[in-house]
Amino acid sequence: MFKKKDVFFETLQNMADTLVQASEVFVKGVETMDNVSEFAKNMKELESKCDVFTHTILKELNKTFITPIERDDIMALTTALDDVLDGMEACASRFDMYQVTERDEICILFADVLKRSTYEIQKAIRLMTQKKLLAIREHSIKVNDLENEGDELLRRGIKHLFATITDPITLIKYKEIYERLEETTDSCEDVAHILESIVMRNS
C-alpha cells in the first residue's frame, strides 16, 4: 500500500495505466470502424476518468506540504498525461462528428504509434514511482523516436491525400484527423521531456 505522501505517484501511475487502456481502445476503434459513435463514447469515458485523476492531484497539491518530487514537475506531468488522452478523445470524436466510417491505413498506423508510446510512458512512470530514475531515459528516447514516426506518417498521409482524394470535404476531414493524431504523438513526447527533466533534477 502506498504511504499517504505517495498519493501523487499512485495517481500518476493510474493516469499512465488509463492512457494504455485508452490507446488499446483507440487501436481497436480505428481498426474496425464499425460503430464510431460507440468508439467516441468509450474514449470520452476514459478521458473523464483521467480528468478525475487530474483533480485528485490538484486537490492533494493544495493540502500537501512535502511532495515526493517538485510540485511544478507533478503539475506539468499531470497536465501532459491528460493532454495525451484529450488528444486521442478529440480524434475519436472527429470520426463520429464527420461520420468517417472507412478504415484508413494512416489512422491505423498512427494508432499503433500512440499505443507503443503509451506503453513506454507507463513503464517510465512505473520506474519513477520506484525511484529508479536513470532507467527512465531508455523509455523517453523510445517515445522521442515514436514521435518522429508520427511526423513521417503525417507527411506520408497528407501527400497521399492530395494525390488521391478529389473531394475537398473528404480531404479536409482526413487532413484534420491526421494533424490531430500527429499532435497527440507530440503530447506523448512532451511527457517524455518532462520525465527527462525530472530525472536531471532528482538523480
Side-chain angles (χ1 to χ4, degrees):
M1 189 63 195
F2 280 89
K3 295 191 293 295
K4 178 65 181 151
K5 69 173 181 179
D6 282 332
V7 67
F8 299 106
F9 281 168
E10 186 181 20
T11 310
L12 287 165
Q13 187 69 65
N14 287 338
M15 287 184 88
D17 295 345
T18 307
L19 282 195
V20 166
Q21 191 188 350
S23 73
E24 286 170 350
V25 170
F26 196 80
V27 165
K28 190 163 177 282
V30 296
E31 281 178 351
T32 57
M33 296 298 279
D34 53 2
N35 187 340
V36 288
S37 297
E38 188 65 21
F39 172 32
K41 183 170 157 283
N42 292 340
M43 290 302 297
K44 184 69 194 165
E45 283 168 8
L46 286 161
E47 191 250 345
S48 300
K49 184 177 168 185
C50 212
D51 285 344
V52 172
F53 293 135
T54 302
H55 295 313
T56 299
I57 285 179
L58 285 171
K59 199 172 74 191
E60 290 296 328
L61 277 175
N62 283 331
K63 65 182 191 188
T64 307
F65 187 62
I66 296 170
T67 54
I69 54 174
E70 293 284 334
R71 305 170 82 82
D72 289 351
D73 288 337
I74 292 171
M75 201 56 244
L77 192 52
T78 303
T79 306
L81 289 166
D82 194 47
D83 285 347
V84 175
L85 223 165
D86 286 349
M88 284 192 273
E89 189 274 326
C91 293
S93 76
R94 291 301 179 285
F95 292 126
D96 185 32
M97 280 194 302
Y98 300 157
Q99 285 302 289
V100 173
T101 54
E102 299 288 315
R103 288 173 87 251
D104 177 80
E105 190 211 353
I106 295 289
C107 290
I108 290 168
L109 292 170
F110 258 121
D112 179 62
V113 167
L114 286 169
K115 185 172 97 167
R116 286 184 285 146
S117 299
T118 63
Y119 273 100
E120 295 304 328
I121 287 168
Q122 184 188 43
K123 288 173 195 163
I125 300 278
R126 191 164 289 141
L127 288 166
M128 184 184 74
T129 65
Q130 295 165 354
K131 307 273 175 48
K132 295 177 181 170
L133 295 181
L134 292 174
I136 289 172
R137 280 223 56 163
E138 175 198 339
H139 303 290
S140 321
I141 290 165
K142 283 181 183 165
V143 175
N144 291 334
D145 291 343
L146 286 162
E147 192 274 333
N148 290 334
E149 278 186 44
D151 288 345
E152 185 50 41
L153 272 176
L154 179 64
R155 280 192 286 272
R156 230 174 85 193
I158 288 182
K159 188 177 175 184
H160 180 73
L161 284 180
F162 280 93
T164 58
I165 305 284
T166 50
D167 174 46
I169 302 295
T170 304
L171 192 141
I172 289 164
K173 286 179 186 177
Y174 277 100
K175 183 172 177 287
E176 196 205 331
I177 288 168
Y178 292 172
E179 284 168 349
R180 279 192 174 270
L181 285 163
E182 194 276 328
E183 281 168 20
T184 310
T185 65
D186 287 345
S187 296
C188 291
E189 190 180 41
D190 290 343
V191 173
H193 288 159
I194 292 160
L195 285 164
E196 286 269 344
S197 66
I198 290 170
V199 171
M200 280 166 58
R201 273 201 285 273
N202 295 276
S203 55

